[in-house]
Amino acid sequence: MAPMTTPGEEMHALVERLYPLCRSITGDGVRATLDIVGKYIPLQVHEVPTGTRVLDWTVPQEWNIRDAYVADASGRRVVDFAASSLHVLGYSVPVAATLPLSELRGHLHTLPEHPTWVPYRTSYYTPEWGFCLAQETLDALPDGDYEVRIDSTLADGHLTYAEHVVPGEVADEVIVSCHVCHPSLANDNLAGVAVAVHLAQELAERTPYHTYRFVFAPGTIGAITWLARNAERIDRVKHGLVLACAGDRGRLTYKRSRRGDAEIDRVMRYVLETSGRPHHIKEFTPYGYDERQYCSPGFDLGVGSLSRTPYAGYPEYHTSADNPDFVSPEAMEDTLAVCREAFAVLDRDRRYLNLSPYGEPQLGRRGLYDSLGGRSDAKQAQMAMLWVLSLSDGEHGLLDVAERAGLPFDTVADAADALRAAGLIKA
Ligand code: ZN
């Protein structure tokens, strides 16, 4: 029987469910988001108190908001936080005042080039208040007095982040990191979260080779907090991927780690190039999402970033037009598939040592040719065995073999499994 919903539809439903919440770098919006994610995969939620020193930073005061509006003289709300979390400047200090429009203008943010869209703005580290609205809404406001009210609190509290671990055969870890600090924006945070949730569910269906650690944390300060609290065990992190902007209809973009030649960089390039998908591979820059923290020289992790259209590369970026309609089930499914394929390579890529390196071992005598009988790619599979034997000098891994031989990675990995079972190579 056909499934009722596709993975893409399930991910899209999660995006829609999380979309209305008012997330920020701290506060109940992040907690509510993690509560919902926790219904799909079990989460370990961490609360780090305000004032905690994390690397060169300090956990800020916690921001919470209950209501906010601009109302005209008749009491009608012309800008209403209840309609969209984007309407309030993120981290706005509380305000209750009546102001003439001329004075209020200094606190209003619009996008004149897209008059029907509401921009996303924050002021995390400078105390300020403000509203974001469509230019056409502002243009329709007559002069006069307006009541402004932001019912928010900035107080000592906590920064919240969460982890989900899929235990593997080995303790070496792959981290998958997503930011969870943007309010009602679909592609820029929620699509990555939805893909990560699905990946975690899939990985748990069998024990993967690596241990997979999913980190759901507010951007910058959250990743810095995670790094500060995991610095002692950071050597366990062997590979990683930051997932962001994972659901728009554009082509895939992979941004290399700072190292540029980390295994994740080679695996992602291999998967993207051999899959025939339209894609773009970018060199590292110390900007973007949390790869810039994971790749900072003190940690220097092999962490790249996978997105579709990169941040700021589409007009809808950081506006109300980045809504659930902007992300598609098919695009999220495609991003999920690339992650799945890349992790399958990461999990099977090993270096082997040829135990019979003097001359070519006799494969027929060991039944290795017969084992290929049923395969439609018997010729390729035989070549793969010869290549694995040839390059298993302890210096080359199976991805090296696949690339040098021009053979599919899975064929090479299957050949290695057969050779290992026959006692001809060892890890
Ligand atoms: Zn963003």
Side-chain angles (χ1 to χ4, degrees):
M1 201 177 80
M4 299 294 285
T5 52
T6 64
E9 286 163 349
E10 285 172 23
M11 288 186 280
H12 198 267
L14 177 55
V15 167
E16 285 188 319
R17 196 170 168 192
L18 296 173
Y19 179 73
L21 297 170
C22 184
R23 280 162 293 271
S24 187
I25 53 173
T26 61
D28 289 336
V30 176
R31 290 191 190 96
T33 299
L34 297 177
D35 276 352
I36 292 172
V37 170
K39 292 185 181 6
Y40 295 74
I41 51 173
L43 292 182
Q44 190 185 1
V45 177
H46 304 266
E47 297 276 359
V48 184
T50 297
T52 305
R53 289 298 309 267
V54 285
L55 306 181
D56 196 45
W57 296 55
T58 305
V59 172
Q61 288 199 312
E62 181 178 324
W63 184 67
N64 282 294
I65 179 160
R66 290 155 292 275
D67 192 17
Y69 59 87
V70 177
D72 66 15
S74 74
R76 186 177 68 96
R77 291 184 176 204
V78 294
V79 182
D80 189 357
F81 171 75
S84 167
S85 68
L86 292 178
H87 279 312
V88 168
L89 176 79
Y91 256 66
S92 277
V93 297
V95 63
T98 299
L99 300 172
L101 182 59
S102 55
E103 240 176 86
L104 180 56
R105 279 181 191 276
H107 295 275
L108 301 180
H109 305 268
T110 63
L111 279 174
E113 63 276 29
H114 293 289
T116 61
W117 296 356
V118 177
Y120 163 53
R121 298 275 188 274
T122 63
S123 181
Y124 295 138
Y125 300 102
T126 316
E128 236 193 275
W129 64 267
F131 288 89
C132 302
L133 67 161
Q135 180 68 44
E136 64 174 17
T137 307
L138 177 59
D139 291 345
L141 295 183
D143 281 331
D145 283 351
Y146 288 87
E147 184 200 351
V148 296
R149 181 159 161 76
I150 297 179
D151 179 13
S152 66
T153 41
L154 260 170
D156 286 356
H158 295 82
L159 175 146
T160 313
Y161 71 90
E163 294 176 286
H164 169 79
V165 175
V166 182
E169 289 173 29
V170 296
D172 289 353
E173 288 184 5
V174 180
I175 57 167
V176 178
S177 178
C178 307
H179 61 297
V180 289
C181 53
H182 286 30
S184 300
L185 294 166
N187 196 40
D188 188 2
N189 82 343
L190 300 181
V193 171
V195 171
V197 165
H198 234 275
L199 260 180
Q201 288 175 327
E202 281 190 12
L203 285 165
E205 287 168 9
R206 45 163 194 95
T207 303
Y209 177 72
H210 290 96
T211 291
Y212 285 81
R213 182 179 298 273
F214 291 80
V215 179
F216 301 95
T220 309
I221 186 71
I224 284 171
T225 301
W226 184 86
L227 282 165
R229 289 162 58 100
N230 289 277
E232 298 294 314
R233 51 177 296 289
I234 207 72
D235 288 349
R236 255 189 267 178
V237 178
K238 302 300 181 193
H239 321 282
L241 208 50
V242 169
L243 273 178
C245 301
D248 67 87
R249 292 164 177 84
R251 67 178 174 173
L252 284 152
T253 303
Y254 176 69
K255 177 180 161 184
R256 293 179 193 273
S257 72
R258 193 184 70 98
R259 281 150 55 179
D261 62 348
E263 192 172 358
I264 188 74
D265 300 324
R266 299 183 49 227
V267 168
M268 290 304 306
R269 184 180 64 104
Y270 176 80
V271 166
L272 288 169
E273 283 183 359
T274 56
S275 72
R277 289 179 172 90
H279 68 275
H280 177 56
I281 294 178
K282 287 197 335 184
E283 295 304 326
F284 179 79
T285 55
Y287 198 68
Y289 292 100
D290 286 325
E291 65 278 5
R292 59 206 259 201
Q293 313 306 336
Y294 299 119
C295 292
S296 58
F299 294 109
D300 195 26
L301 299 177
V303 174
S305 172
L306 183 66
S307 55
R308 302 194 70 86
T309 309
Y311 75 92
Y314 48 98
E316 296 85 353
Y317 173 77
H318 281 191
T319 77
S320 55
D322 181 0
N323 58 35
D325 293 338
F326 183 65
V327 300
S328 83
E330 295 74 23
M332 283 188 281
E333 226 169 277
D334 186 50
T335 309
L336 174 70
V338 167
C339 294
R340 182 195 300 132
E341 289 163 31
F343 292 166
V345 174
L346 264 187
D347 275 0
R348 289 186 88 184
D349 191 19
R350 305 288 146 73
R351 284 183 190 180
Y352 288 99
L353 197 61
N354 184 338
L355 298 175
S356 181
Y358 299 102
E360 200 174 277
Q362 236 189 320
L363 300 182
R365 177 157 61 80
R366 294 177 171 86
L368 287 166
Y369 285 131
D370 302 338
S371 70
L372 306 176
R375 291 183 70 128
S376 56
D377 62 345
K379 190 75 203 153
Q380 271 196 337
Q382 184 187 333
M383 281 310 296
M385 282 194 201
L386 296 177
W387 272 108
V388 171
L389 285 167
S390 176
L391 292 179
S392 288
D393 51 7
E395 299 288 310
H396 299 89
L398 297 181
L399 183 57
D400 297 314
V401 177
E403 286 185 319
R404 183 141 163 205
L407 292 168
F409 178 84
D410 282 342
T411 307
V412 170
D414 289 349
D417 285 346
L419 291 168
R420 195 189 46 198
L424 284 171
I425 58 170
K426 70 166 188 182

